[in-house]
Amino acid sequence: MGGNRDRLSRVVLKKDIKRRVLNGHPWIYDNEIERIEGDLEDGSLVDVFTFAGQFIGRGYINRLSKITIRLLTRKPEEIDTNFWKRRVIEALKNRYQLVKENAFRVLFGEADGVPGLIVDKFSDYLVLQVNTLGIYKRLESILPALLETLNPSGVFVIMEGSSIQKEGLEEQKYWIYGSGPELIPYEVNGIKFLADLKGQKTGAFLDQRENAKMLSQFAHGRVCLDCFSYTGNFGMHLLKHGAKHVTFVDYSERALAVAREVAKLNGFTNCDFVVANAFDFLKKLYGESKLFDLIVLDPPSFAKSAANRESAYKGYKEINYRSMKLLRNDGILATSSCTQVISQQEFENILVDAGTDARVVMRILHRGGQPLDHPQIYNILETMYLKFLILQISHL
Ligand code: SAH
């Protein structure tokens, strides 16, 4: 044992630190640090203290990042394979019955006490999103913890996106353990899917699984449009539950090629796939007076920071307004927002605004959100991002 507490550099915070840190939030920004004692390498572990000398926690540091320290624990415990194992076991416990599913998110970064690391399980394979230098440097001790607890056939690492450059890392994707197919078959709600390792994020978005299941009950006999479909999660659920037809729209050709494969795997033929910018496509349909019984909107985040709120607001209003206009009377609109800086209330205000302009009455059929494997922690607001509503739209 020995404990590595004595060997770690100490970081002392400024006098007037934010309650946020004391209340369980794991991030320490560069301007909250009074001094760093001793020499250290970025990516290494540090112990963090208040100005008065009270121990706050242990985490990893990267002076290249505005979020300079991410705390891994509030205890002076060793950050070794056993630590990561305890984190995985705790996360599995917090997922309750979800762990019986064929695919789920095993670790969701800050929300599971593992800042910078996301782990998804697709049948026998694990896909890791490594977002920070501190996690990258610890992969050697993290990997055995995952192998021992989950026994996968292969583990794939994805390092990409703007955060990777901010951390001073190179973008890369590779099998760190074993190997597997580029398209990993998995199942959700009795439907076959493919996680595309060359695709976006970790190959599939597991956060909409319950929302898609809830939407399934409105599928029967309906002509549907799945906008921002990616590999087809929502639309496949609709087809499985008796939709008359589904049009999948995404501007990524690759995403729709995979969606085609997924439809084939499930034997769905009453569907078509349109590579298009959804904004333009919705506008075009309106010009053609084409109507639908059900429309799904699941766009990417429209704003990474509060500074882009305004344009996000405009974007949401436009696609929701156009979709309302494209629905038959009493049609169904399933609409989502994964923009973290837009709150539930703000998103609903946008919908009300769009509905007023479109001259419709909106009945809330369902308010959804994040499933158990995308935990939401009040003390870490950044963990709460997904809004989902199913609305019945009636024209005035
Ligand atoms: N609904 C999917 C996830 C959608 S992710 C699911 O449940 O799994 C968002 C998708 O929107 C991505 O596939 C991306 O390629 C696509 N996209 C982003 N901007 C777009 C645009 N302007 N028009 C069409 N598709 C877009």
Side-chain angles (χ1 to χ4, degrees):
M1 277 289 292
N4 53 10
R5 183 168 183 183
D6 299 335
R7 282 182 275 120
L8 298 186
S9 291
R10 291 164 55 101
V11 173
V12 178
L13 300 186
K14 288 191 171 147
K15 230 178 209 157
D16 54 345
I17 61 163
K18 314 259 178 341
R19 301 295 311 169
R20 193 192 82 249
V21 179
L22 293 178
N23 288 349
H25 197 291
W27 294 353
I28 291 165
Y29 289 96
D30 53 359
N31 61 10
E32 293 175 313
I33 295 173
E34 173 73 21
R35 64 174 186 278
I36 299 169
E37 294 177 359
D39 284 340
L40 53 77
E41 257 180 47
D42 281 323
S44 56
L45 293 172
V46 293
D47 277 341
V48 177
F49 296 86
T50 63
F51 193 80
Q54 179 202 343
F55 174 76
I56 292 185
R58 177 169 284 182
Y60 58 78
I61 188 165
N62 187 352
R63 285 160 299 191
L64 282 177
S65 171
K66 261 187 142 22
I67 304 171
T68 306
I69 298 168
R70 294 174 201 244
L71 296 177
L72 293 165
T73 173
R74 301 273 164 173
K75 299 179 206 149
E77 61 188 321
E78 194 104 25
I79 308 299
D80 52 9
T81 293
N82 277 329
F83 167 81
W84 298 107
K85 244 168 109 171
R86 289 196 297 277
R87 282 285 188 263
V88 176
I89 290 164
E90 194 182 326
L92 293 175
K93 186 190 105 209
N94 290 336
R95 275 141 184 76
Y96 296 83
Q97 296 298 309
L98 245 178
V99 295
K100 294 184 183 157
E101 299 287 324
N102 177 255
F104 63 93
R105 177 155 285 186
V106 177
L107 290 172
F108 184 36
E110 278 73 356
D112 285 307
V114 293
L117 176 65
I118 290 171
V119 177
D120 285 339
K121 178 182 180 295
F122 298 106
S123 58
D124 289 338
Y125 300 94
L126 298 180
V127 179
L128 273 52
Q129 227 174 289
V130 173
N131 292 322
T132 58
L133 176 66
I135 292 294
Y136 180 63
K137 282 200 163 179
R138 315 217 127 59
L139 280 177
E140 246 179 57
S141 67
I142 296 171
L143 184 63
L146 294 169
L147 299 182
E148 287 170 36
T149 47
L150 298 155
N151 192 27
S153 314
V155 179
F156 192 71
V157 169
I158 295 179
M159 294 169 65
E160 64 178 15
S162 56
S163 63
I164 291 301
Q165 284 136 40
K166 281 186 204 151
E167 288 280 322
L169 292 164
E170 297 277 325
E171 295 204 341
Q172 52 178 324
K173 292 181 174 192
Y174 60 99
W175 288 99
I176 191 171
Y177 172 80
S179 65
E182 195 172 284
L183 295 176
I184 302 178
Y186 68 99
E187 262 188 45
V188 164
N189 298 325
I191 305 166
K192 297 184 176 92
F193 284 99
L194 295 167
D196 181 12
L197 297 186
K198 287 252 173 82
Q200 303 166 30
K201 297 276 179 78
T202 47
F205 297 89
L206 295 165
D207 55 354
Q208 291 282 24
R209 173 191 45 223
E210 286 173 7
N211 296 331
K213 185 176 183 184
M214 184 55 81
L215 184 65
S216 301
Q217 66 185 300
F218 304 102
H220 194 79
R222 291 188 190 257
V223 175
C224 310
L225 179 65
D226 181 356
C227 264
F228 308 93
S229 69
Y230 191 45
T231 51
N233 175 41
F234 278 103
M236 301 302 164
H237 276 81
L238 295 169
L239 288 165
K240 173 88 177 177
H241 290 87
K244 194 168 172 190
H245 188 272
V246 175
T247 301
F248 293 90
V249 182
D250 201 288
Y251 68 12
S252 158
E253 250 175 71
R254 184 170 175 104
L256 288 186
V258 176
R260 262 180 212 281
E261 283 302 305
V262 171
K264 215 190 276 176
L265 275 178
N266 289 285
F268 301 144
T269 51
N270 43 338
C271 46
D272 59 359
F273 302 84
V274 181
V275 178
N277 181 321
F279 285 82
D280 301 339
F281 189 70
L282 289 169
K283 209 187 276 179
K284 181 172 151 259
L285 288 176
Y286 186 58
E288 295 166 358
S289 331
K290 180 142 176 42
L291 294 180
F292 294 89
D293 303 312
L294 189 155
I295 298 179
V296 180
L297 296 175
D298 184 19
S301 174
F302 282 157
K304 290 278 176 243
S305 70
N308 310 78
R309 255 223 197 88
E310 197 77 11
S311 69
Y313 189 101
K314 270 197 198 140
Y316 284 122
K317 183 165 173 191
E318 176 170 346
I319 54 175
N320 281 283
Y321 167 83
R322 294 220 179 270
S323 299
M324 289 170 188
K325 291 291 218 180
L326 286 172
L327 282 168
R328 290 210 173 81
N329 198 36
D330 295 343
I332 306 277
L333 177 63
T335 183
S336 342
S337 162
C338 61
T339 304
Q340 192 272 323
V341 294
I342 293 201
S343 69
Q344 179 78 28
Q345 191 57 55
E346 284 169 317
F347 183 54
E348 293 195 31
N349 289 346
I350 298 171
L351 297 175
V352 169
D353 226 20
T356 305
D357 285 8
R359 297 202 31 82
V360 297
V361 173
M362 296 181 284
R363 177 186 302 256
I364 299 174
L365 301 179
H366 175 69
R367 263 198 190 94
Q370 294 168 222
L372 282 175
D373 58 345
H374 292 67
Q376 308 174 70
I377 313 288
Y378 270 124
N379 314 50
I380 315 172
L381 276 182
E382 291 80 0
T383 60
M384 305 164 83
Y385 68 98
L386 187 61
K387 283 80 63 185
F388 177 76
L389 285 122
I390 305 179
L391 304 172
Q392 179 187 295
I393 304 294
S394 311
H395 298 284
L396 272 170

